[in-house]
Amino acid sequence: MSDLDQEIVEAARENGVGIAHNLLTEKELSLGREAFDQVYLDLDKGPGEPGTRDSIWGEELLKSAALERLFSHPHIISIISGILDELRPFLQKMKTNRYTPFHPGVGRHTDGKLGELSPPFSMVSTQVFLDDIEIDSGALAYVPRSHILHYESAENLDHQPPTKEQIRVGNYVPAELKAGSVIFRLPEVWHAVNPIHRLRRYVTGTYTSRDRFSASMTENVDNVVQSRKQIPIDSIPSTLHQFWQF
Ligand SMILES: O=C(O)CCC(=O)C(=O)O
């Protein structure tokens, strides 16, 4: 792993967010945008109504090679592996998000389960951005190090998970980036999205370790594994098999 990638892994583990700036090539970015817009048209989602967040989930996204690549991209996977300390991360969720302006953004929250602690560094989400985000439009705001408060601690067995009120009053800092960059976010980190004035599209995957789960993760992973049993493996691109199969 390069020194720069190692720094991204360390930033993600330390602060809850690591950013790989301009990770995609120009070609991957333009093919990714084209495929993204096409899947919305194919599923009759239209061009997008102002104020809406339109999401598409699941294997539907794998029909396009350009989108599938964003879930199995070797460079992205190597950073995920470093964050999770997992050679073969499990791809639990595949999703796209399209916010059509003007959109008010997203309020302060954690993706961790309130009231539950999780094993450290057992899950990470990627956000592969197809548009720029800036402080004045769609920046992801987050509270550095807040993810750690959601982790089980061997030193302090009485540690209690954070409350909604703590999450509301945290000290949020914005992350800006150019299209083609990737955010690696520990899902527990407290985050929000600034008001959105320009189209904001990204492709997001959630990856887990294979042997460290909280109670809610166990349930989610079990459900995904069961539902994937109904999907013929030869309908899944071979580059993704090792991450898609548990
Ligand atoms: O759109 C984003 O950048 C983050 C959305 C969000 O907060 C979430 O999915 O939990």
Side-chain angles (χ1 to χ4, degrees), residues 28-201:
E28 285 171 332
L29 175 58
S30 69
L31 290 175
R33 282 175 169 157
E34 205 178 295
F36 186 104
D37 291 344
Q38 190 61 48
V39 75
Y40 277 77
L41 290 177
D42 291 348
L43 295 179
D44 289 331
K45 295 260 184 194
E49 290 290 320
T52 57
R53 165 174 164 173
D54 295 308
S55 305
I56 297 174
W57 275 271
E59 283 68 24
E60 190 64 37
L61 301 172
L62 305 178
K63 292 182 181 160
S64 148
L67 291 184
E68 183 279 321
R69 177 161 174 82
L70 303 183
F71 297 110
S72 63
H73 196 295
H75 192 172
I76 296 177
I77 294 284
S78 80
I79 296 173
I80 296 168
S81 290
I83 296 169
L84 296 179
D85 193 17
E86 170 67 64
L87 272 180
R88 199 166 59 90
F90 174 59
L91 175 56
Q92 189 204 325
K93 190 162 83 181
M94 297 160 278
K95 186 177 171 190
T96 58
N97 275 321
R98 179 184 68 184
Y99 294 79
T100 306
F102 171 74
H103 187 289
V106 179
R108 298 174 166 193
H109 67 286
T110 173
D111 291 348
K113 188 165 179 206
L114 285 174
E116 185 185 79
L117 294 173
S118 42
F121 311 108
S122 48
M123 200 188 303
V124 66
S125 293
T126 51
Q127 292 176 275
V128 183
F129 278 90
L130 303 178
D131 296 292
D132 299 354
I133 57 170
E134 291 157 350
I135 292 179
D136 74 0
S137 182
L140 180 86
Y142 69 101
V143 179
R145 300 185 58 75
S146 52
H147 61 303
I148 291 168
L149 302 171
H150 293 258
Y151 287 164
E152 295 159 358
S153 155
E155 288 87 58
N156 179 3
L157 296 175
D158 295 329
H159 172 57
Q160 294 297 313
T163 62
K164 266 191 178 166
E165 181 56 13
Q166 284 171 296
I167 295 171
R168 192 179 67 78
V169 300
N171 188 15
Y172 286 71
V173 298
E176 296 188 293
L177 50 78
K178 297 286 179 205
S181 303
V182 182
I183 289 186
F184 297 85
R185 179 166 58 78
L186 278 311
E188 294 87 354
V189 80
W190 306 348
H191 61 283
V193 178
N194 285 359
I196 300 166
H197 298 274
R198 290 180 290 284
L199 183 63
R200 185 177 190 272
R201 294 167 292 182

Side-chain angles (χ1 to χ4, degrees), residues 113 116-119 152 213-222:
K113 188 165 179 206
E116 185 185 79
L117 294 173
S118 42
E152 295 159 358
F213 299 116
S214 62
S216 59
M217 278 173 74
T218 304
E219 196 183 329
N220 292 341
V221 169
D222 281 352

